[in-house]
Amino acid sequence: MTFPVVIKARKELGINVVDYAQNQEELLIKFTRQVIEHGFSQSELPIIQEYISGSGQGFFALVKDGNISQIFQHLRVREYPPTGGMSTCAVSMLNEDVRIAGTNLLKALRWTGVAMVE
């Protein structure tokens, strides 16, 4: 595992459940704290992701069997917490690299429905 990592809830809880760990020891402490504080069951354990610095950009699409009919993109201007979390201010934008990456992922999954790729 490459550090730092992000520890966060599997699904939205109406509160921001996110923390960061710089090493294995910190990961174990913070992961355990999240599980206890929020009462996560075995099937709801937090996820761990590599932390990637940079601007937050979202690609949204309406898709049927991997075929995209509508898209929208945004750039996060501000988020809470400032170290990475939910958008508190965003602007619409178009980034061709993000569009291509999001489109390729949804096509490969043969996705159907509404999707957001960050």
Side-chain angles (χ1 to χ4, degrees):
M1 186 175 302
T2 303
F3 288 92
V5 295
V6 181
I7 311 156
K8 64 183 186 179
R10 288 184 176 273
K11 57 186 174 183
E12 297 292 328
L13 301 174
I15 57 173
N16 198 26
V17 179
V18 63
D19 211 340
Y20 306 90
Q22 302 299 319
N23 55 54
Q24 190 75 28
E25 181 181 349
E26 203 172 64
L27 172 61
L28 183 58
I29 291 167
K30 291 181 174 187
F31 184 90
T32 302
R33 184 183 314 141
Q34 273 195 19
V35 171
I36 293 168
E37 285 181 7
H38 301 287
F40 292 128
S41 68
Q42 189 70 25
S43 64
E44 300 172 320
L45 291 175
I47 60 173
I48 301 166
Q49 298 175 319
E50 179 183 357
Y51 178 83
I52 300 172
S53 63
S55 63
Q57 299 181 29
F59 172 80
F60 306 83
L62 180 59
V63 192
K64 183 171 183 184
D65 297 323
N67 297 309
I68 295 175
S69 62
Q70 298 292 321
I71 69 164
F72 176 78
Q73 294 180 359
H74 82 248
L75 171 67
R76 288 182 176 192
V77 174
R78 191 174 51 245
E79 51 196 350
Y80 180 80
T83 54
M86 63 186 127
S87 298
T88 58
C89 180
V91 294
S92 60
M93 50 78 85
L94 182 59
N95 178 314
E96 190 64 13
D97 291 337
V98 171
R99 185 193 67 74
I100 291 168
T103 298
N104 288 343
L105 176 65
L106 298 172
K107 282 184 179 185
L109 293 171
R110 295 193 41 81
W111 188 264
T112 294
V114 176
M116 177 185 179
V117 178
E118 292 184 294

